[in-house]
Amino acid sequence: MATPFLQAISVSKTYPGALVSGIQKTDITINKGGITAIIGESGSGKSTLLKLLFGLLSPDTGEVQFKGERIRGPAEKLIPGHEAMKMVTQQTDDLNLYAKVWDNIASMLPHNDLKAKQEKTEKMLRQLKMTPLADKRVVDLSGGEKQRVAIARALIVNPEILLLDEPFNQVDTSFREGLQHDIRQIVKETGLTVIIVSHDPAEVLSMADELLVLKNGEILESGDPKTMYRKPKHLYTAKLLTNCTVLTCAEAKICGLKTKTDHIVIYPEWVETVKTWTRNDWEIKQVLFKGCYEDLIVERKGITIRVLNDQFGKYVEGNKVNLKLNRWLEY
Ligand code: ADP
Ligand code: MG
């Protein structure tokens, strides 16, 4: 069997004092050349796991191996973190605020080959669509632009693995999608491996080749985004990936769904509003404008269901409709 690219073997890390914290014994294998997204609610251990993979934290048990070699922890190294990896977080404090974007990026490269330095910096700026920013001072950039500089600084030294810890949180949607696309493109062109931590479903679903779901420091499930979105193994995962309705068994019965499980989950796109001659006994309580669609919050007998609607203006609050449930999941 070939040596795994990056592997965590029975790795755990608890922080002193806290009851449930850090990472329970975890095994992970990450292959070369793709995007793995780690998702989980706040405090589930995402950042801890990323730091363990990078070598910024030493595990209490087990070890992390990169190409078959144990990654050394911060106590064993002068500069913590593995040389073949780069990590970008929301903090951009290592940027030189009063230097130009160009210098912030170029300064990551050795000074002995000025021509190579020039060419590589130009290429990096092009790849991340930053050429127009080259002569601006970092202090004059927006938050999103600073993030781009941080990512350029990480990528220009050709790391084998790029670790991203929620780096796009502060960044507006249109910018975010551009950056996500550019990173995907770089992964495709160079075989870079990316591990990204995020709690934004849209981001992980569109970017990742593989999803890892973390709950209370443990991996709950993993798989490709499409399969996982369509049929998550756990209620927790469904709630992370979509703005779904969760009904108890009793509530499901009131809606006419027979189920023996504790919960049923209905995604907004699995419900249709229909007008029938007989029972229109669901009331539209809210119409939430979402840009290219609307979310309808529909209620009957104290039960509310979220429904995706792309027929703008068809409903106003107070309208009565009937609902057709096309699909649901049982947990
Ligand atoms: P996430 O990134 O998913 O929000 P973290 O990995 O940062 O989660 O944290 C996981 C858990 O460990 C949380 O309960 C957090 O409070 C705890 N934790 C993280 N860092 C420390 C620390 N340095 N000392 C004590 N507890 C910590
Ligand atoms: Mg975190």
Side-chain angles (χ1 to χ4, degrees):
M1 209 181 85
T3 314
F5 187 61
L6 182 67
Q7 195 179 23
I9 308 162
S10 293
V11 162
S12 71
K13 168 81 199 169
T14 47
Y15 297 103
L19 225 55
V20 184
S21 73
I23 288 291
Q24 317 286 316
K25 271 200 177 162
T26 293
D27 292 281
I28 305 172
T29 304
I30 288 170
N31 298 320
K32 184 174 159 43
I35 303 181
T36 302
I38 302 171
I39 59 170
E41 59 192 13
S42 179
S44 57
K46 304 180 296 292
S47 297
T48 304
L49 180 57
L50 211 60
K51 286 178 193 159
L52 287 165
L53 293 175
F54 185 28
L56 281 190
L57 278 177
S58 300
D60 298 339
T61 67
E63 62 183 54
V64 179
Q65 291 182 357
F66 176 61
K67 296 179 179 171
E69 274 184 36
R70 184 178 69 87
I71 290 183
R72 289 176 297 154
E76 302 164 87
K77 290 191 75 220
L78 199 58
I79 302 169
H82 195 279
E83 303 75 25
M85 307 186 200
K86 279 279 171 190
M87 177 137 136
V88 178
T89 66
Q90 277 180 45
Q91 278 108 40
T92 45
D93 359 304
D94 58 342
L95 298 182
N96 185 347
L97 288 179
Y98 299 98
K100 287 177 185 173
V101 167
W102 174 279
D103 296 317
N104 265 280
I105 298 169
S107 63
M108 299 299 288
L109 298 171
H111 303 293
N112 50 16
D113 188 348
L114 290 178
K115 188 157 176 281
K117 189 166 168 166
Q118 173 95 13
E119 282 169 5
K120 274 186 151 181
T121 308
E122 260 167 29
K123 182 166 178 229
M124 194 74 252
L125 286 167
R126 231 182 4 254
Q127 277 180 318
L128 289 181
K129 313 217 165 55
M130 293 168 56
T131 310
L133 299 179
D135 290 327
K136 282 198 176 183
R137 291 184 315 165
V138 168
V139 72
D140 299 323
L141 301 181
S142 71
E145 289 166 341
K146 284 195 192 102
Q147 282 298 355
R148 229 169 241 251
V149 179
I151 289 172
R153 277 165 61 88
L155 284 176
I156 198 160
V157 295
N158 290 330
E160 292 186 68
I161 303 179
L162 176 69
L163 304 149
L164 301 170
D165 194 345
E166 314 213 31
F168 313 137
N169 269 13
Q170 259 52 286
V171 168
D172 57 80
T173 318
S174 60
F175 167 83
R176 221 192 259 213
E177 282 185 356
L179 192 48
Q180 288 165 3
H181 172 83
D182 295 340
I183 291 175
R184 280 212 70 90
Q185 200 58 34
I186 291 170
V187 166
K188 238 191 267 170
E189 282 166 16
T190 65
L192 172 73
T193 304
V194 175
I195 306 173
I196 177 169
V197 162
S198 172
H199 60 242
D200 174 9
E203 182 161 284
V204 296
L205 288 170
S206 65
M207 262 191 110
D209 302 299
E210 176 84 7
L211 294 183
L212 291 177
V213 181
L214 261 191
K215 184 184 180 187
N216 295 335
E218 283 180 282
I219 305 262
L220 198 59
E221 61 181 303
S222 61
D224 78 281
K226 278 185 191 150
T227 312
M228 199 185 283
Y229 181 84
R230 190 146 173 83
K231 204 165 189 318
K233 291 197 181 79
H234 298 268
L235 177 59
Y236 174 88
T237 309
K239 288 203 257 181
L240 281 178
L241 291 180
T242 157
N243 212 334
C244 53
T245 301
V246 182
L247 300 181
T248 62
C249 178
E251 289 170 332
K253 282 216 178 80
I254 297 174
C255 298
L257 298 175
K258 287 201 183 69
T259 176
K260 289 205 173 64
T261 55
D262 293 341
H263 295 101
I264 75 152
V265 163
I266 305 166
Y267 289 13
E269 66 270 32
W270 293 345
V271 197
E272 270 178 72
T273 50
V274 284
K275 280 267 185 193
T276 55
W277 291 108
T278 49
R279 291 184 11 199
N280 294 312
D281 46 5
W282 287 90
E283 184 180 342
I284 313 263
K285 283 286 181 186
Q286 288 181 60
V287 180
L288 305 170
F289 180 59
K290 298 279 182 178
C292 57
Y293 66 96
E294 291 171 349
D295 265 351
L296 307 174
I297 308 298
V298 182
E299 194 232 37
R300 192 185 78 178
K301 295 184 191 163
I303 297 166
T304 51
I305 294 184
R306 184 181 287 263
V307 182
L308 181 114
N309 175 41
D310 55 12
Q311 296 167 286
F312 286 102
K314 185 167 182 190
Y315 298 110
V316 293
E317 283 161 27
N319 281 166
K320 295 282 199 140
V321 292
N322 205 352
L323 291 188
K324 187 166 156 237
L325 300 181
N326 294 320
R327 194 173 127 81
W328 60 90
L329 297 167
E330 302 186 328
Y331 295 98

